[in-house]
Amino acid sequence: MNGALPDVPEVRVVGLPQLTSGFDLVERLDLGMHLKVHGPLEPIGGEQLAALAERISLKGRGGAGFPFAKKLRSVADSAIRRGVRPVVVVNGSEDEPACRKDTVLINRAPHLILDGALLAAEALGARTLVIGVTRDSTERSMQQALAERGLSNRRGSALRARVQRNPVRMVTGESSALIRSADGGPAMPPGRKVRASDSGVGGAPTLLSNAETFAQLAVAARIGADRYRNTGLQDEPGTVMLTVSGAVARPMVLEVPSGVPLRYVLQLAGAPPLPQGVLTGGYHGKWMDATAAHDAVVSRASMDAAGGALGAGAILPIGQDTCPLGEALLVAQWLAAESAGQCGPCYLGLPAAARGLEDILNGGGPAALEALRQITQAVKRRGACKHPDGSAAFIESTVSAFTDDLAAHVLGSGCGRPVQGVLPLQDEAAPTAGAGGGDTGPSGQRLAVDWTLCQGHGLCADIVPELIQLGPDGYPSVAEASVPRYSQARAVRAVRRCPALALRLEEDPSKPAARPSLPVLPPGRGRRALGSGRD
């Protein structure tokens, strides 16, 4: 249940391959095989490269869909105005459990990504290239690719290229988090909105796009805009990389021309003939019902019109034999745990939204539904990054898409179906040493309330509001809560300050930690086991 996808799942192609050319020959295209399959590539001037990106309607493939040509010109203008050399960053930080397309490309066709990045660097006059990754396999493959090209981070090099390794966390894939880590900081959003094209790595104008985007640019530069446009739709030409998982017989990554029916993609992966719903765009995406999924084609416009989202290319159907709200709750809880813990909408709002969805499932009635709607509205457009917005949108889409099940839980005794755990989630793992941002994972502890001692003073809710809230009676509304690492210090403080000694920290068997950094109290012991009680 909810098992993680492998780094490189099965790869299939509909039509003629472009990004996946050569995958039928070798597992990984080294530089020699890459040149045999794709051929050499000549540099292109800056305006020519921007014009090429415009002609093929190239948009970012990481989820936001921002026009690449506009981003390229913005970086060039900023660099010229300021008189500084820009930086090029490849975002290969594919940390969402339902996405593997970029990971597949980095592992199997790293030189195609480097081709696009080096084209952009040459056109802009950049002398620094950073490739952000989060996995052992992608780090190894990209380091090897740089070595095969003779690229390094040594001083005096015409182009200094390096791989930036970050922990596998949802927020590390956010552009500002990657830039911050490349500058030596933690892999978390900085909390201030600054365009990378104005000020990115080292304060320089920075062209940042995801791995597939650079690979698409490399393909178009080789075959030309006209031939590139012969594949797919007129308004969204070319191919699209998709990750299909959920209730399917064969989780896979597919390269398909835009315009392919979504139902055909689902059929290839062995999805149920009549899915209860299809989550599109990943865990910051939207649900489509079976009818909409049957009629839609793989394109941004078509899926948006059908109520879905292409996003980062994740497609996840669920069958009729599972509770869709229960499946969504597992994802909502995971999204809440992925918080960077540095802004209220994230570390307070997302756990509250997950608890609100849980209240609905537990028969909270119309009041619980209204409370959930208020929470999701309060979360949006107030975070330090897009994680709160995307997570709130996912919950809102869940509530809107499964109205019959929602009514059964809100007005009755539930839908009667079990939760199968068909949506993949990340395996819990300790962050890599030295990767930065290692305080955002599970601590392996839980904060527990001893009801025989609790007197309702409420200090705990003031100190750790992300873990404990007070109910209408003035007492904590939960008996125990898992403690993420970013809340450990506050959890210890809450234990120490409880006047009634009613709080304790215990081992959390559901979330083991590889490296516990704070003492764990055995059940039944109070604050004196931690010391004097002073902060």
Side-chain angles (χ1 to χ4, degrees):
M1 290 178 63
N2 296 116
L5 295 175
D7 281 9
V8 183
E10 177 185 355
V11 179
R12 298 192 65 178
V13 183
V14 175
L16 295 176
Q18 290 187 356
L19 303 182
T20 58
S21 293
F23 281 23
D24 57 332
L25 302 175
V26 291
E27 284 299 310
R28 179 185 180 276
L29 279 73
D30 61 15
L31 183 57
M33 181 59 73
H34 167 75
L35 292 174
K36 288 180 181 178
V37 170
H38 292 284
L41 181 62
E42 297 297 326
I44 301 176
E47 185 51 41
Q48 289 177 293
L49 193 63
L52 173 66
E54 278 185 333
R55 288 195 63 195
I56 64 172
S57 303
L58 181 61
K59 295 183 178 180
R61 302 300 179 94
F66 192 83
F68 186 83
K70 186 175 181 180
K71 187 183 295 187
L72 185 68
R73 289 194 174 105
S74 180
V75 172
D77 290 345
S78 182
I80 293 170
R81 185 176 64 254
R82 294 176 53 191
V84 298
R85 288 193 181 274
V87 176
V88 174
V89 176
V90 178
N91 192 348
S93 307
E94 194 172 44
D95 302 320
E96 185 171 332
C99 295
R100 287 294 184 273
K101 65 182 183 67
D102 290 334
T103 302
V104 163
L105 287 175
I106 294 173
N107 273 284
R108 301 196 62 181
H111 289 285
L112 198 59
I113 298 165
L114 285 178
D115 279 347
L118 293 172
L119 276 176
E122 181 71 19
L124 291 168
R127 293 295 178 263
T128 302
L129 171 63
V130 180
I131 303 103
V133 299
T134 54
R135 302 176 187 279
D136 290 338
S137 62
T138 50
E139 182 180 24
R140 284 194 304 269
S141 181
M142 195 53 77
Q143 291 280 24
Q144 185 177 346
L146 292 179
E148 289 166 356
R149 288 180 181 247
L151 295 173
S152 71
N153 196 33
R154 285 193 292 268
R155 291 183 181 275
S157 301
L159 176 72
R160 297 182 65 178
R162 61 186 171 91
V163 176
Q164 173 67 33
R165 175 67 184 271
N166 289 323
V168 181
R169 303 291 299 173
M170 187 77 165
V171 294
T172 60
E174 207 270 342
S175 59
S176 63
L178 178 52
I179 289 172
R180 191 179 182 189
S181 70
D183 281 337
M188 293 190 291
R192 56 187 179 87
K193 293 178 172 60
V194 178
R195 292 193 305 176
S197 59
D198 292 331
S199 179
V201 176
T206 298
L207 176 69
L208 187 150
S209 202
N210 95 304
E212 185 194 343
T213 310
F214 284 109
Q216 293 282 2
L217 184 67
V219 168
R222 277 188 169 87
I223 67 177
D226 291 339
R227 184 176 164 193
Y228 185 96
R229 293 184 64 86
N230 285 337
T231 300
L233 301 170
Q234 284 297 308
D235 56 343
E236 296 183 39
T239 62
V240 180
M241 294 289 285
L242 303 173
T243 310
V244 187
S245 61
V248 297
R250 300 176 302 280
M252 61 179 61
V253 168
L254 293 101
E255 182 183 12
V256 303
S258 60
V260 165
L262 182 58
R263 63 179 179 274
Y264 181 64
V265 170
L266 295 172
Q267 181 182 352
L268 281 177
L274 187 65
Q276 185 175 185
V278 180
L279 180 60
T280 57
Y283 295 158
H284 281 176
K286 298 178 181 178
W287 288 97
M288 297 169 62
D289 61 31
T291 301
H294 183 273
D295 296 337
V297 301
V298 176
S299 78
R300 291 186 183 278
S302 174
M303 294 173 73
D304 286 346
L310 180 58
I315 309 294
L316 302 102
I318 61 171
Q320 299 285 346
D321 57 347
T322 188
C323 172
L325 298 182
E327 297 289 346
L329 174 60
L330 296 178
V331 175
Q333 291 171 334
W334 180 83
L335 289 169
E338 288 294 292
S339 164
Q342 59 182 8
C343 72
C346 210
Y347 80 81
L348 296 179
L350 296 188
R355 287 191 299 271
L357 185 56
E358 186 174 17
D359 288 344
I360 291 174
L361 280 162
N362 291 335
L369 178 59
E370 180 58 29
L372 176 61
R373 286 174 172 156
Q374 290 179 3
I375 293 168
T376 54
Q377 286 297 316
V379 162
K380 291 189 294 185
R381 294 178 295 277
R382 293 178 54 241
C385 68
K386 295 297 184 182
H387 182 54
D389 290 2
S391 302
F394 166 77
I395 293 174
E396 288 180 333
S397 175
T398 300
V399 171
S400 300
F402 302 104
T403 52
D404 291 344
D405 293 88
L406 183 67
H409 284 282
V410 170
L411 304 176
S413 57
C415 66
R417 285 173 289 186
V419 178
Q420 305 285 354
V422 297
L423 302 179
L425 295 178
Q426 208 73 271
D427 283 340
E428 297 288 1
T432 302
D439 61 342
T440 59
S443 69
Q445 298 175 302
R446 63 185 178 190
L447 189 62
V449 179
D450 186 336
W451 295 114
T452 65
L453 298 175
C454 182
Q455 298 177 11
H457 292 97
L459 290 179
C460 53
D462 291 336
I463 298 172
V464 278
E466 68 271 31
L467 302 180
I468 295 181
Q469 295 80 39
L470 300 183
D473 58 359
Y475 284 79
S477 59
V478 296
E480 57 186 37
S482 295
V483 180
R485 272 192 288 274
Y486 64 78
S487 292
Q488 276 187 290
R490 290 192 294 273
V492 170
R493 193 178 309 131
V495 170
R496 289 173 172 173
R497 287 188 175 181
C498 178
L501 305 181
L503 291 178
R504 62 176 181 265
L505 283 170
E506 302 175 347
E507 292 183 359
D508 187 349
S510 66
K511 296 186 181 295
R515 296 177 298 169
S517 57
L518 292 174
V520 177
L521 289 179
R525 298 182 66 181
R527 69 183 183 191
R528 290 185 179 85
L530 287 175
S532 66
R534 297 177 184 174
D535 291 324

